[in-house]
Amino acid sequence: MFKKILVANRGEIACRVIATAKKLGIRTVAVFSDADANAKHVAMADEAFRIGPAPVAESYLKTDTIIEACRQSGAQAVHPGYGFLSENPDFVEALEKAGITFIGPSAKSIRAMGLKDAAKALMEQADVPVVPGYHGDNQDPVFLKDQAGEIGYPVLIKARAGGGGKGMRRVDDPQDFLDALSGAQREGEASFGDGRVLIEKYLTKPRHIEIQVFGDSHGNAVHLFERDCSLQRRHQKVIEEAPAPGMPDEMRKIMGDAAVKAAKAIDYSGAGTIEFIADVSDGLRADRFYFMEMNTRLQVEHPVTELITGEDLVEWQLRVAFGETLPKRQDELAFSGWAFEARLYAEDAPKGFLPAIGTLDHLSLPEKSARVDSGVRSGDEITPFYDPMIAKIIVHGPTRDAALGKLLAALEATEVAGCVTNAGFLAALCRHKGFASGDVDTGLIDRDLEELVEEPSVPEDAVALAALAALGLTKPASGNDPFETLAGWRIWSASRQFALLDIGSDRRDVEVRALGSRRFEVHLTEGERIFTVVKVDGNAITYDCEGHRASAVVVCSGDGLTVFQNGHAFSIGLPDMLGSDDDAAGTGDQVIAPMPGLVKVLSAGNGDTVSKDQPLVILEAMKMEHTLKAPRDGMIGEVFVAEGEQVTDGTVLLALVEDADAAA
């Protein structure tokens, strides 16, 4: 076995690989950009090398720098994780030339499956069913639009070198085709350096079912059953599960055999995933599944396969790369129970899943009740340079219902403050009746999005705790314990204080009276209520409200605080009582960058008349495009940025005026 390997990645997957390597007694080498100098994966590795500034093109994508780190450290092999260089055949060949083993498939196999159009042609030759569509070389926009018309709308435009939902656009109306094509091409070029696309028929009720395959250099190939990844938004997976709900044994065998056939067609060695799309308009049927693509690497969702099979897929990768045969034959593989994985991201679900940045002032993950794969710790920063994943929360149970219940409990126990997350959205998905019953397809989230992102109203108990915490913060001494100074309240008289709180769009001035012995009278919307603080342990508080005892966690972060209670996180602002109100943000006269990003397209200029919701700016952040629209009817008074300009969160991009005279 290898003595030392280098992990050419970052975040949770780097930590995941390092953990298995340590288990096998293999020394590990990490690489890091300037933004990751103090990252968790760097601390876990035996040694680490700086490879450049934060942008990936200047660090994690620099082949020569990574090979030099291998030379200096004596690493015999490189594990690429996923993303970055994991599916780059030129990187594989550069390693081979340097005498370093790539822990993954050959460059030839990666090239065979790296371009979606070529891969589909290859699968057709191997008698693997493919989605109807156009996979040719002609990229003329008018020609592609004609092909879409022949295929029949709706269609899906896909960057041929794409992955992770990037460079994909669904088109329902022929009039929208050319704009969607331009967007897919730009995103494909930005993410993969290839703007060419293919056009496919969009199935109206599809399920995304993929098969984990493994091959070795001795001609063996097996599958480790299926995963259902149908819960998606923007073509990106949100919650994955294994096995697929409602999968007939006969169809499982047929799909597994097709996946192994696909792997053998390219002499595949290592971990890979054959992704299929199934038309479930008439339920799961063995004659209605189609090859979409092959990912020639380990998948983000591989832990659900590990939990149902009991196999360590990273260990399999290391053994196969070292030249060993597959650890098990097909007839030795079996699965039991059910597993789910939820991807916890720093993103704002109610605001269109915009990526978020910030410092993880408080991070408590359910590591006692779930497997948690994470690359961050409390105090770490979520930056705009990389994928905003915080953790993967993975559970296993004897049945689907039991596993889903464990996932919901784990999500409700997740606490993150300092950065907005999608935890509430994930929990809402777990409570969704259709998902709970196994009736899933890739359109579920879009159909019920309004319900899934609806934020619960802040309960009065949480308002009271926020008021107590806000007043307790008037004399901070150490840490961020919001109740640190409560003991200093006068206990011999009814001291009155007021806490100014921003709760959603409402500003409330909450009166609190100290009654002694940690008893407080809090004036709430429904009247006065008596709260007794029973116990304070750091951020956790146990309290009694008129005979009802409960607990919560209250964390101060930035200019607000978060109350974690009953499986929900309630964010409450603490406005500056001495500051002046800023009404400009609510006037609808400006288009403001909601995150740091690159201005890709400006579709209007000074003096142009625009309509409400008209697309004005396309901002690229974290390799995804975000369209910013006009907040109202009006005229462009001034444009403050140019295409190609990098902007920060909160930058005013352009301003609207009422009419031509005002613009002048």
Side-chain angles (χ1 to χ4, degrees):
M1 180 51 69
F2 301 113
K3 301 298 182 184
K4 182 185 287 189
I5 66 170
L6 181 144
V7 183
N9 216 298
R10 63 174 303 280
E12 61 86 16
I13 186 56
C15 296
R16 165 73 188 88
V17 173
I18 291 170
T20 287
K22 285 182 177 292
K23 182 182 72 173
L24 297 175
I26 302 170
R27 292 182 63 80
T28 56
V29 181
V31 293
F32 62 91
S33 70
D34 290 342
D36 283 336
N38 298 310
K40 181 179 177 180
H41 76 280
V42 175
M44 285 182 65
D46 294 299
E47 54 188 301
F49 288 82
R50 177 188 179 273
I51 53 173
V56 294
E58 301 175 43
S59 52
Y60 293 103
L61 295 181
K62 292 183 68 175
T63 295
D64 292 345
T65 305
I66 291 172
I67 290 177
E68 181 59 28
C70 288
R71 289 197 178 105
Q72 291 186 35
S73 65
Q76 302 161 280
V78 170
H79 194 300
Y82 43 70
F84 294 150
L85 295 169
S86 63
E87 294 180 283
N88 186 321
D90 295 335
F91 178 59
V92 178
E93 291 173 341
L95 288 175
E96 291 174 350
K97 186 176 180 181
I100 302 166
T101 300
F102 178 71
I103 303 172
S106 66
K108 180 181 178 182
S109 294
I110 294 175
R111 285 196 174 95
M113 289 296 187
L115 299 177
K116 290 180 171 62
D117 50 359
K120 289 177 188 295
L122 182 61
M123 290 301 99
E124 286 179 320
Q125 294 173 13
D127 200 27
V128 176
V130 301
V131 182
Y134 175 72
H135 312 131
D137 294 328
N138 191 334
Q139 295 291 297
D140 178 72
V142 176
F143 174 80
L144 291 176
K145 184 177 181 180
D146 290 341
Q147 292 298 308
E150 292 184 16
I151 295 167
Y153 288 89
V155 297
L156 191 63
I157 304 172
K158 300 171 70 173
R160 71 170 194 161
K166 299 179 178 68
M168 296 178 68
R169 297 289 190 278
R170 173 182 169 173
V171 187
D172 296 282
D173 189 327
Q175 295 184 23
D176 300 328
F177 182 86
L178 294 179
D179 285 342
L181 174 64
S182 296
Q185 290 171 328
R186 283 194 306 272
E187 214 163 78
E189 184 67 39
S191 299
F192 315 106
D194 188 342
R196 287 169 288 184
V197 302
L198 51 87
I199 314 296
E200 289 181 349
K201 177 67 178 174
Y202 184 87
L203 304 182
T204 55
K205 193 171 184 182
R207 274 175 63 180
H208 182 126
I209 300 175
E210 60 189 34
I211 306 290
Q212 176 71 60
V213 294
F214 240 100
D216 62 25
S217 57
H218 304 278
N220 303 305
V222 298
H223 70 82
L224 288 90
F225 311 104
E226 81 277 2
R227 300 184 286 255
D228 195 304
C229 307
S230 298
L231 279 190
Q232 301 180 7
R233 51 87 181 159
R234 292 184 179 175
H235 306 293
Q236 289 186 303
K237 301 164 187 175
V238 176
I239 294 179
E240 301 98 343
E241 62 182 297
M247 172 67 74
D249 290 339
E250 177 189 7
M251 185 173 177
R252 176 175 290 120
K253 183 179 186 312
I254 292 172
M255 291 187 75
D257 290 346
V260 171
K261 185 187 299 184
K264 286 187 173 182
I266 58 171
D267 298 320
Y268 196 77
S269 178
T273 301
I274 308 297
E275 300 200 357
F276 294 105
I277 191 166
D279 180 355
V280 295
S281 54
D282 291 324
L284 279 173
R285 290 177 44 173
D287 62 344
R288 291 195 181 180
F289 72 91
Y290 310 97
F291 172 86
M292 286 199 303
E293 62 184 356
M294 181 179 188
N295 288 300
T296 52
R297 53 170 168 76
L298 198 66
Q299 291 278 89
V300 177
E301 60 272 22
H302 76 273
V304 294
T305 296
E306 293 184 323
L307 291 188
I308 66 168
T309 63
E311 305 296 334
D312 184 331
L313 298 189
V314 174
E315 180 176 344
W316 277 46
Q317 285 185 296
L318 292 168
R319 294 194 179 282
V320 166
F322 192 65
E324 297 180 16
T325 58
L326 291 174
K328 289 186 177 180
R329 302 187 307 269
Q330 190 68 62
D331 59 5
E332 295 176 307
L333 290 165
F335 69 89
S336 63
W338 218 281
F340 285 95
E341 174 184 290
R343 304 187 186 193
L344 181 66
Y345 277 100
E347 63 182 10
D348 195 333
K351 294 183 179 179
F353 299 97
L354 288 175
I357 60 173
T359 300
L360 300 172
D361 296 320
H362 174 79
L363 179 65
S364 178
L365 299 173
E367 295 179 305
K368 292 183 179 179
S369 59
R371 168 176 163 177
V372 176
D373 287 8
S374 178
V376 295
R377 302 150 301 184
S378 186
D380 285 351
E381 184 180 0
I382 303 296
T383 74
F385 301 109
Y386 313 117
D387 184 274
M389 179 183 285
I390 295 172
K392 300 185 308 193
I393 298 173
I394 314 113
V395 298
H396 181 264
T399 65
R400 188 175 189 272
D401 286 346
L404 188 57
K406 289 182 68 174
L407 180 61
L408 177 57
L411 289 168
E412 290 180 339
T414 297
E415 299 172 4
V416 184
C419 190
V420 71
T421 78
N422 65 339
F425 166 72
L426 294 172
L429 273 172
C430 292
R431 301 184 193 103
H432 187 279
K433 291 182 179 179
F435 180 51
S437 68
D439 182 16
V440 296
D441 63 82
T442 59
L444 184 150
I445 290 177
D446 286 340
R447 286 195 303 272
D448 297 333
L449 184 59
E450 186 174 344
E451 170 193 342
L452 292 168
V453 300
E454 183 178 3
E455 296 181 290
S457 58
V458 181
E460 292 294 80
D461 275 19
V463 173
L465 294 176
L468 292 176
L471 295 171
L473 281 172
T474 54
K475 292 174 62 179
S478 63
N480 65 345
D481 178 355
F483 301 100
E484 189 170 13
T485 62
L486 285 181
W489 281 52
R490 288 179 293 162
I491 62 174
W492 48 267
S493 65
S495 173
R496 296 176 60 199
Q497 294 201 44
F498 293 86
L500 189 63
L501 307 176
D502 280 342
I503 303 173
S505 58
D506 297 328
R507 179 162 292 182
R508 291 175 61 176
D509 202 1
V510 180
E511 179 182 347
V512 179
R513 295 191 178 203
L515 303 179
S517 301
R518 286 199 167 193
R519 295 178 67 245
F520 304 91
E521 179 183 88
V522 184
H523 291 233
L524 300 167
T525 302
E526 57 191 34
E528 298 81 10
R529 295 168 67 187
I530 305 299
F531 286 80
T532 300
V533 177
V534 178
K535 179 182 178 182
V536 176
D537 183 8
N539 295 316
I541 178 171
T542 301
Y543 66 94
D544 185 292
C545 179
E546 300 177 354
H548 175 233
R549 185 162 295 194
S551 61
V553 171
V554 183
V555 178
C556 297
S557 177
D559 58 357
L561 51 83
T562 305
V563 180
F564 299 97
Q565 188 175 40
N566 298 326
H568 296 285
F570 303 104
S571 296
I572 297 174
L574 300 176
D576 181 0
M577 290 183 286
L578 299 178
S580 60
D581 290 339
D582 181 7
D583 295 324
T587 63
D589 291 336
Q590 300 173 332
V591 175
I592 299 173
M595 73 202 82
L598 181 71
V599 178
K600 294 290 290 187
V601 176
L602 283 171
S603 56
N606 290 347
D608 289 351
T609 301
V610 298
S611 303
K612 179 177 169 52
D613 293 330
Q614 179 179 329
L616 298 180
V617 183
I618 295 178
L619 191 69
E620 181 190 283
M622 299 178 182
K623 297 296 181 70
M624 296 289 285
E625 288 189 353
H626 305 272
T627 301
L628 308 181
K629 301 178 180 179
R632 60 169 174 80
D633 294 344
M635 178 175 289
I636 304 297
E638 188 170 0
V639 178
F640 300 102
V641 294
E643 290 184 358
E645 184 175 341
Q646 189 77 34
V647 298
T648 59
D649 182 13
T651 299
V652 178
L653 306 178
L654 54 84
L656 297 177
V657 293
E658 294 297 338
D659 51 38
D661 292 337

